[in-house]
Amino acid sequence: MTDSSTQDIDFSPATGANLPSVTMNMLLDLLTQSDILYKPAPLPRKSFRWFAAVSRENVDCAAPSNIADAHLLFVCGEDEAEALLREKPTAFVLVLAGKKEQGTEAPPPEDCRAEKGFSSKPYRDRMIVIRQQSRFAYFIFKLQSYFTQLLIWQNELDRIVACRGTLTEMLDASTTVIKNFMFVSDNSFNVIARTSNIEPPDNLHRLIIETGCLTPQMIEEKRHRLSEKDYYIKPPSDLTPYARLSRPLYLNHTYFGSLSMSCNATPLTEGLKDLFGILARHIMPLCEMLWRTQVKLNVPHYFFFSKMLEHAEVTDEYVRSQMELAHLADDTEFKLIVMEVDGETEPDHAARAIRAAIGINKGDVFCFPYQNATLVLCHTPPSDSMLSHIKTIEDLSKRIYQPLGIISGVSEVFTGITNLDLAYRQAKIALGLKNTISSEQFASEHEASKGVYLFGDALLYFLVDPSDKDARFMSFCFQHTILEKIYEEDQQNDTNYLALFWFYLYYGRNATAVAQRLYMHRNTVLYHIEKLQKRFDFDLSWRTARDRMMLDFKVFFLTMSHESIEKIFIDVQDDAGGNKA
């Protein structure tokens, strides 16, 4: 069920006038315990910025000159109402009628105070009449306290916006007024903020917070298809014993996410909806800041990737659903590029870098800022060469370094999006060792790839560094290698390309020595090595490539069982001259 009945009410923040916005519905919520004798039907769409108590002695109570009469609320007795409304035709009056005498019944609402002029046509739609149940001064104190509370709240929301605060700060600042559990989700249904001082009230909302994402049932509710100013209302159901209220958040007519609330502490009323609308209006500038500085319009899955980068604790169900939303299969292969350009300090330069990086890997990338850098996450179905370093260097040199002068660090190819934080660490290590890598490349026999630093080039320096090594990171560094694929295919096809590859590296690319060792023709050795290089798109003329392959072999020998290794090389020796490759 949707509702947009209050969309035309002025919910504008109090900035400048330093005054609250109190809608007619909010006023009626305050009067819930009062004996309402008369109220207009339908209620006028009004928001009040100022109220004044008027007594018989001071009917001429002045209001600030910058407040239009339409935003004035006067509280008075029965005798002052008509004079006030005659003087200020667009104002509104809350009339406190005399106390009910014992043994008498209240007059019917339609006939209420007809003799006083309350039901005459010029004034009917501009007043509410309630029975005075306490002293006039006490009621005024109650109303003043409410206006003051809303003034403090709305000014605090203004302050958070002005100070570029967080969504969580905005939600927490609202709990004294709204009192319910609230959260904000993005356009991929990730929870990006929640009230930290109110715990989830039921199993549904506890599950949402634990998984960091809306449940499949809630996603199916299609709340993201609402128009910009609609409310989404769900009554209590089997999912939760509390009514739920949501409002979509749109930036430049593009769906950003939604603000949601469980009505666990205060019931869902029209007044609560108006409070919720005021909060939504204040939240929008913060969402826009997130959109501009982090999401950049082209990464609807930013908050998912940021959780992976921070190695947040998430469930398998959450990862699976987010991968599906991003149209990424479980076996997708990735490579992460970290470009040294800060979107905060150099927004224009970062924007140009993102536009250029969108063409990397034939467009199969997600580009987004993170911390003080700009990231490019390349992805592809399982492939031997799509994410090769040769292609990456060519792309980055042509699109990023040569035209923009931006330096990049590059991770190894990896699988499993939950390893994104480790790939980020690899790329940052490569950037941290860029001067060392440049010195080695300057002294090497092949031309350096300027502006692009591979973790593979930094790996040996990282390993000889005496600092402690993290076991998860070390395992990741040797997890996805060419040798694994070659070995698996050898087992399936009864070939021995892995042994051929090893001897070619072991004999320093001396094809003649390999041919003699394996009883093969020299040209056959070169043919198979060339096939491997083309298939996986690497170049063994690069010293760093050979070093990395030799290192992978050492890890292979270290981690494989002796029986497996013995089988590979005994087969080679037993089949001397048979050319199993």
Side-chain angles (χ1 to χ4, degrees):
M1 179 170 65
T2 65
D3 180 20
S4 57
S5 59
T6 56
Q7 66 185 39
D8 297 326
I9 293 179
D10 176 18
F11 290 154
S12 57
T15 303
N18 197 35
L19 297 170
S21 292
V22 181
T23 68
M24 182 68 73
N25 292 322
M26 292 154 60
L27 179 63
L28 286 175
D29 277 359
L30 182 66
L31 300 176
T32 300
Q33 303 302 319
S34 300
D35 185 7
I36 299 178
L37 301 178
Y38 172 78
K39 62 181 178 181
L43 285 170
R45 292 181 178 178
K46 274 185 169 291
S47 66
F48 305 110
R49 307 300 299 277
W50 182 273
F51 90 92
V54 177
S55 63
R56 293 181 182 179
E57 294 77 19
N58 187 14
V59 178
D60 233 357
C61 186
S65 59
N66 62 333
I67 301 297
D69 288 353
H71 294 305
L72 292 177
L73 171 66
F74 289 102
V75 184
C76 64
E78 301 166 271
D79 299 328
E80 294 78 41
E82 187 172 352
L84 276 171
L85 293 175
R86 190 181 300 115
E87 179 185 345
K88 296 185 179 293
T90 60
F92 198 86
V93 173
L94 179 59
V95 180
L96 300 184
K99 292 183 180 180
K100 178 181 175 182
E101 297 179 5
Q102 288 186 351
T104 64
E105 295 296 329
E110 290 300 317
D111 299 329
C112 174
R113 297 299 186 263
E115 72 279 7
K116 298 291 185 181
F118 297 146
S119 59
S120 59
K121 288 184 179 179
Y123 308 115
R124 278 176 66 90
D125 62 343
R126 288 184 283 121
M127 66 171 62
I128 293 177
V129 183
I130 67 171
R131 178 76 69 185
Q132 186 175 342
Q133 296 175 328
S134 58
R135 288 183 305 158
F136 185 83
Y138 177 79
F139 181 82
I140 296 304
F141 173 75
K142 178 181 177 182
L143 190 61
Q144 185 179 36
S145 298
Y146 186 64
F147 266 71
T148 301
Q149 181 186 34
L150 294 180
L151 172 64
I152 293 171
W153 171 54
Q154 292 174 36
N155 283 342
E156 175 63 10
L157 300 188
D158 288 337
R159 184 197 67 80
I160 293 172
V161 172
C163 295
R164 296 173 174 262
T166 66
L167 293 173
T168 298
E169 288 177 308
M170 188 74 77
L171 296 179
D172 285 345
S174 303
T175 55
T176 56
V177 174
I178 295 179
K179 297 183 174 62
N180 289 324
F181 177 78
M182 295 178 287
F183 64 92
V184 179
S185 55
D186 69 358
N187 54 10
S188 295
F189 314 110
N190 293 286
V191 176
I192 59 176
R194 54 156 289 192
T195 48
S196 62
N197 48 12
I198 298 178
E199 289 302 313
D202 51 42
N203 289 335
L204 172 68
H205 290 89
R206 279 190 287 273
L207 180 61
I208 291 171
I209 298 307
E210 288 172 3
T211 60
C213 184
L214 298 189
T215 64
Q217 298 99 312
M218 295 179 73
I219 292 174
E220 289 174 1
E221 292 172 351
K222 305 300 182 187
R223 67 192 64 212
H224 56 292
R225 292 184 180 177
L226 295 179
S227 61
E228 296 192 23
K229 295 183 179 180
D230 279 352
Y231 287 98
Y232 181 80
I233 300 171
K234 292 290 288 185
S237 65
D238 293 339
L239 282 177
T240 169
Y242 306 110
R244 290 182 282 141
L245 178 66
S246 296
R247 182 164 176 168
L249 305 174
Y250 280 83
L251 299 176
N252 297 323
H253 307 295
T254 302
Y255 179 70
F256 172 85
S258 64
L259 172 65
S260 302
M261 174 173 65
S262 169
C263 300
N264 59 293
T266 54
L268 179 56
T269 63
E270 293 301 311
L272 182 63
K273 284 170 60 179
D274 289 354
L275 288 169
F276 197 67
I278 292 172
L279 174 60
R281 292 286 184 92
H282 281 83
I283 272 179
M284 293 310 298
L286 300 186
C287 293
E288 188 171 0
M289 281 187 273
L290 280 173
W291 190 278
R292 288 178 175 175
T293 61
Q294 297 178 334
V295 182
K296 295 297 182 186
L297 301 176
N298 63 328
V299 184
H301 310 284
Y302 169 81
F303 295 104
F304 169 53
F305 293 139
S306 65
K307 284 186 178 184
M308 298 299 98
L309 285 163
E310 291 157 12
H311 197 48
E313 291 187 13
V314 295
T315 64
D316 293 341
E317 180 185 359
Y318 169 78
V319 175
R320 186 163 50 251
S321 64
Q322 290 297 310
M323 288 284 283
E324 289 176 1
L325 287 168
H327 302 292
L328 297 172
D330 291 340
D331 59 356
T332 298
E333 295 181 349
F334 301 97
K335 174 185 280 187
L336 185 66
I337 300 165
V338 176
M339 300 189 294
E340 282 194 330
V341 56
D342 190 345
E344 285 289 329
T345 59
E346 303 176 274
D348 294 337
H349 202 34
R352 286 193 294 271
I354 285 178
R355 286 195 296 270
I358 288 173
I360 292 174
N361 192 38
K362 297 182 178 180
D364 290 333
V365 294
F366 294 98
C367 306
F368 55 97
Y370 181 74
Q371 296 183 355
N372 60 346
T374 302
L375 275 52
V376 182
L377 179 61
C378 306
H379 58 90
T380 182
S383 168
D384 292 332
S385 62
M386 283 298 296
L387 294 180
S388 73
H389 287 326
I390 289 177
K391 288 184 174 67
T392 301
I393 291 170
E394 182 180 354
D395 264 346
L396 289 173
S397 298
K398 177 182 175 182
R399 299 175 184 275
I400 304 300
Y401 183 70
Q402 292 176 9
L404 301 175
I406 296 173
I407 290 172
S408 302
V410 182
S411 79
E412 298 291 279
V413 176
F414 67 99
T415 54
I417 193 64
T418 54
N419 291 320
L420 187 59
D421 63 311
L422 302 176
Y424 178 71
R425 184 177 172 187
Q426 284 186 340
K428 292 292 285 185
I429 288 172
L431 287 171
L433 291 169
K434 60 187 176 185
N435 292 333
T436 304
I437 295 171
S438 294
S439 298
E440 178 184 343
Q441 289 177 340
F442 180 79
S444 68
E445 47 192 48
H446 73 273
E447 186 178 351
S449 52
K450 295 180 180 178
V452 182
Y453 298 93
L454 309 175
F455 175 72
D457 294 342
L459 179 56
L460 284 175
Y461 295 108
F462 171 74
L463 292 175
V464 299
D465 188 300
S467 61
D468 292 338
K469 304 295 188 293
D470 176 72
R472 176 173 171 254
F473 181 70
M474 290 300 297
S475 174
F476 172 75
C477 289
F478 299 98
Q479 201 172 70
H480 190 85
T481 67
I482 291 173
L483 303 190
E484 291 178 356
K485 288 188 176 181
I486 298 174
Y487 174 72
E488 289 174 3
E489 290 176 2
D490 278 350
Q491 300 306 300
Q492 294 171 4
N493 303 325
D494 195 28
T495 54
N496 255 320
Y497 289 114
L498 189 66
L500 173 67
F501 192 17
W502 159 251
F503 284 119
Y504 186 75
L505 291 172
Y506 180 78
Y507 286 118
R509 294 189 299 153
N510 186 331
T512 302
V514 176
Q516 291 174 349
R517 174 65 185 263
L518 300 181
Y519 298 94
M520 299 170 63
H521 194 281
R522 180 178 181 277
N523 289 345
T524 303
V525 172
L526 293 174
Y527 169 75
H528 288 304
I529 293 298
E530 184 62 21
K531 274 184 63 177
L532 288 174
Q533 290 186 104
K534 285 184 177 180
R535 175 187 170 186
F536 294 103
D537 196 23
F538 65 90
D539 188 350
L540 288 175
S541 67
W542 292 13
R543 176 57 186 266
T544 53
R546 299 196 301 274
D547 287 344
R548 177 60 207 255
M549 296 297 179
M550 286 296 287
L551 193 57
D552 286 343
F553 263 111
K554 292 180 186 299
V555 173
F556 177 81
F557 293 145
L558 182 67
T559 56
M560 290 294 291
S561 68
H562 178 73
E563 291 78 11
S564 298
I565 295 172
E566 186 178 60
K567 181 178 185 304
I568 295 170
F569 291 95
I570 285 180
D571 282 352
V572 171
Q573 295 168 1
D574 289 348
D575 192 51
N579 192 16
K580 290 182 75 173

